[in-house]
């Protein structure tokens, strides 16, 4: 596999670390959730994390070249989820980056990669928090990848490029829907439906265009991988050996 894409994402990761804008967007910030909800989301995310560890071990066993591709998926998630963009609602928002890894390796490994990304962001960027790590992991590293993978598997037989786009976009969007539900459950006002719509009203306005942008970017990166790492994608059963180097027309 050629190294150019790795150098590109390594540079982007360094830029994200060097200029971290302080922001509290999708990730629920430290101390925001009541203790019982922190424990609840930790307990709900933990089995998926263990499943992810087992899945990673099985996936890369005997195929060390896939470790580099797994690292690329983690770097992609870190860079995109660290990009805070101002929104029309006065807050800020960001993509999640979990769709690419879910398409490549399946949803369970992305639970581990996403949790590590969120941990580093909480410790290094003050984005999210340790007490809310379980809740943020469940929304971005469990729901997002599982939705993305399900959409990809559903649409891939029809048109691969559209499947990658829809997987990344809907994985991003459903992450925010989950965050809205988490906040509504923690802070109900005569039920959870009203707060849920209120939080969704904030997120949906800004996240739809971001989700579309993430979908388009993921297709571009996927095409680069198809061109420079076709043998690795063939190992994962995504592309056949040989054939066209781009999925844009598929």
């Amino acid at each position: 596999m050629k190294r150019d894409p790795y150098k590109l994402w390594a540079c982007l990761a360094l830029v994200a670390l060097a200029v971290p804008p302080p922001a509290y967007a999708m990730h629920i910030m430290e101390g925001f959730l009541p203790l019982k909800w922190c424990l609840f989301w930790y307990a709900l995310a933990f089995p998926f994390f263990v499943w992810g560890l087992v899945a990673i071990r099985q996936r890369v066993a005997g195929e060390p070249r896939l470790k580099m591709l797994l690292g690329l998926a983690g770097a992609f998630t870190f860079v995109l989820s660290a990009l805070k963009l101002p929104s029309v609602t006065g807050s800020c928002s960001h993509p999640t980056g979990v769709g690419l890894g879910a398409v490549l390796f399946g949803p369970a490994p992305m639970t581990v990669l996403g949790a590590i990304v969120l941990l580093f962001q909480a410790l290094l960027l003050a984005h999210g928090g340790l007490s809310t790590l379980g809740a943020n992991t469940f929304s971005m590293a469990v729901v997002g990848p599982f939705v993305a993978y399900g959409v990809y598997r559903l649409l891939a037989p029809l048109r691969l490029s559209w499947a990658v786009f829809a997987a990344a976009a809907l994985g991003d969007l459903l992450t925010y829907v989950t965050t809205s539900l988490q906040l509504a459950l923690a802070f109900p006002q005569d039920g959870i439906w009203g707060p849920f719509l209120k939080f969704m009203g904030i997120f949906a306005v800004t996240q739809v265009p971001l989700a579309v942008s993430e979908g388009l970017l993921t297709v571009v990166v996927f095409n680069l991988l198809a061109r420079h790492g076709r043998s690795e994608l063939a190992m994962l059963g995504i592309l056949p050996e040989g054939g066209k180097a781009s999925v844009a027309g598929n």
Side-chain angles (χ1 to χ4, degrees):
M1 186 174 188
K2 297 182 179 179
R3 296 181 178 178
D4 290 350
Y6 298 134
K7 290 181 180 178
L8 172 64
W9 292 113
C11 291
L12 290 174
L14 290 175
V15 169
L17 282 172
V19 287
Y24 305 95
M26 178 204 69
H27 302 332
I28 302 173
M29 66 180 181
E30 185 69 88
F32 195 73
L33 288 180
L35 178 60
K36 68 176 183 179
W37 285 109
C38 294
L39 298 176
F40 174 79
W41 293 114
Y42 261 109
L44 215 57
F46 182 73
F48 291 95
F49 186 84
V50 175
W51 180 10
L53 290 175
V54 175
I56 289 175
R57 183 176 180 181
Q58 293 175 341
R59 178 64 81 178
V60 302
E63 298 291 352
R65 283 191 296 170
L66 293 180
K67 293 180 181 178
M68 189 173 290
L69 193 59
L70 190 67
L72 175 65
F76 185 78
T77 300
F78 183 87
V79 172
L80 260 65
S81 61
L83 294 175
K84 311 301 179 296
L85 304 173
S87 76
V88 295
T89 60
S91 180
C92 60
S93 192
H94 64 80
T96 65
V98 297
L100 178 65
V103 167
L104 296 176
F105 291 96
M110 287 311 296
T111 299
V112 177
L113 295 183
I116 293 173
V117 165
L118 289 166
L119 176 62
F120 274 93
Q121 290 189 359
L123 295 176
L124 301 178
L125 308 181
H127 186 205
L130 295 180
S131 67
T132 56
L133 183 61
N136 291 328
T137 296
F138 190 83
S139 61
M140 194 184 95
V142 176
V143 173
F146 274 84
V147 169
Y149 185 71
V151 171
Y152 168 74
R153 291 298 300 267
L154 183 66
L155 299 180
L158 303 177
R159 193 179 177 93
L160 189 55
S161 56
W162 279 105
V164 173
F165 168 79
L170 292 178
D172 176 308
L173 199 59
L174 267 292
T175 296
Y176 279 80
V177 172
T178 305
T179 301
S180 299
L181 179 62
Q182 290 172 323
L183 293 172
L185 288 170
F187 305 103
Q189 294 177 353
D190 299 326
I192 65 169
W193 187 242
F196 175 70
L197 291 179
K198 178 182 177 183
F199 287 118
M200 275 302 299
I202 297 172
F203 286 143
V205 172
T206 58
Q207 200 57 28
V208 170
L210 270 181
V212 172
S213 301
E214 180 174 343
L216 294 173
L217 177 62
T218 303
V219 171
V220 171
V221 174
F222 191 85
N223 269 325
L224 285 174
L225 292 174
R227 182 176 303 168
H228 298 283
R230 191 171 189 89
S231 61
E232 284 82 356
L233 296 191
M235 283 180 200
L236 294 170
I238 297 173
L239 293 178
E241 289 285 1
K244 292 191 297 182
S246 171
V247 299
N250 292 344

